[in-house]
Amino acid sequence: KVVDDAGSPPTPETVLESIMGLEGGDGFAVRSPAIHSETLSSADGKLVSALLMALQSKRKRNTGLASAGPRVAANRLWRLKAMGDTLVFRKPAERDGMDMAVEILLDRSSSMDTKNRITVARDVTMALATALNRMTGVQSAVDVFPGYGSAAHSILPFGGMLNKAREEMRAVFASGGTPLAEALAIVRPVLLQQRKRRKVLVVI
């Protein structure tokens, strides 16, 4: 069980900061020199726990039964005729869990070439995508902007293969302008099409 120095559970923000090695009190996080790709890879479990604390929500499932409702439980219809049991309709019931689509949009513009920021951003992006991939009920996608000939380029589509995305991410380099609005216009409709209760877009 993760606890802070005072012996009480930390906030999700505290856990994420400790995982990513973030420092600074000016409102901007900077990379700690000690953090590397290996550190991020080994932090997957902690990152999953932090994300669960921060993002878990109620989701509705047709697990209950009622005497009236919009959906019939076909496997219980025989009880209506044989036993007079009217509880043959599915009733939505809330359960804790994930029902979410997450789009990660990575800035690979020329400014990201300063102090090797693009390498750090690539590592963090794939660490986040890997952690999300391990969570039941979550779908994730990764795009970079600017794209190659367009405002955005897909590295990991929803439902895509994470290993293939890792290989392609290694080839991402910093170049070009920062067409954030245009990139959002491309990825937003795809995110909204996902059949998930919650939809989150993260810009790195």
Side-chain angles (χ1 to χ4, degrees):
K1 184 178 180 181
V2 181
V3 296
D4 61 16
D5 294 336
S8 57
T11 63
E13 292 77 12
T14 303
V15 176
L16 287 170
E17 285 181 10
S18 66
I19 292 168
M20 296 305 181
L22 302 181
E23 302 171 345
D26 57 357
F28 296 93
V30 296
R31 183 175 187 258
S32 169
I35 192 168
H36 296 288
S37 300
E38 293 79 9
T39 307
L40 287 172
S41 297
S42 65
D44 283 348
K46 291 181 180 179
L47 186 53
V48 169
S49 298
L51 288 169
L52 282 169
M53 284 193 294
L55 302 175
Q56 183 167 271
S57 63
K58 298 285 187 182
R59 61 179 175 181
K60 286 189 176 181
R61 282 187 167 182
N62 292 318
T63 54
L65 293 168
S67 57
R71 298 185 63 184
V72 175
N75 63 337
R76 291 186 63 89
L77 282 176
W78 68 272
R79 295 177 64 90
L80 180 61
K81 185 176 181 180
M83 305 170 62
D85 185 356
T86 59
L87 299 177
V88 294
F89 292 89
R90 295 292 184 191
K91 180 178 67 175
E94 287 192 340
R95 295 289 186 272
D96 287 331
M98 291 289 190
D99 188 21
M100 179 167 45
V102 181
E103 165 68 39
I104 307 170
L105 190 56
L106 171 62
D107 177 6
R108 70 166 200 95
S109 61
S110 296
S111 62
M112 294 294 288
D113 197 32
T114 307
K115 295 182 180 179
N116 209 26
R117 288 175 180 166
I118 190 63
T119 301
V120 181
R122 287 196 315 244
D123 290 348
V124 169
T125 298
M126 290 315 301
L128 179 56
T130 301
L132 291 169
N133 189 61
R134 292 178 56 188
M135 297 164 64
T136 303
V138 178
Q139 290 182 339
S140 62
V142 176
D143 287 74
V144 297
F145 74 98
Y148 308 100
S150 64
H153 173 75
S154 176
I155 298 291
L156 174 67
F158 286 106
M161 300 295 293
L162 193 60
N163 287 337
K164 184 179 179 181
R166 286 195 187 97
E167 293 295 325
E168 190 171 351
M169 182 62 79
R170 291 191 187 102
V172 171
F173 59 95
S175 178
T178 313
L180 178 57
E182 294 89 341
L184 288 173
I186 291 173
V187 302
R188 182 175 175 272
V190 180
L191 175 62
L192 293 178
Q193 287 171 6
Q194 304 309 306
R195 293 186 174 183
K196 293 292 183 179
R197 186 164 180 255
R198 298 183 70 190
K199 298 170 179 68
V200 177
L201 193 149
V202 179
V203 180
I204 296 180

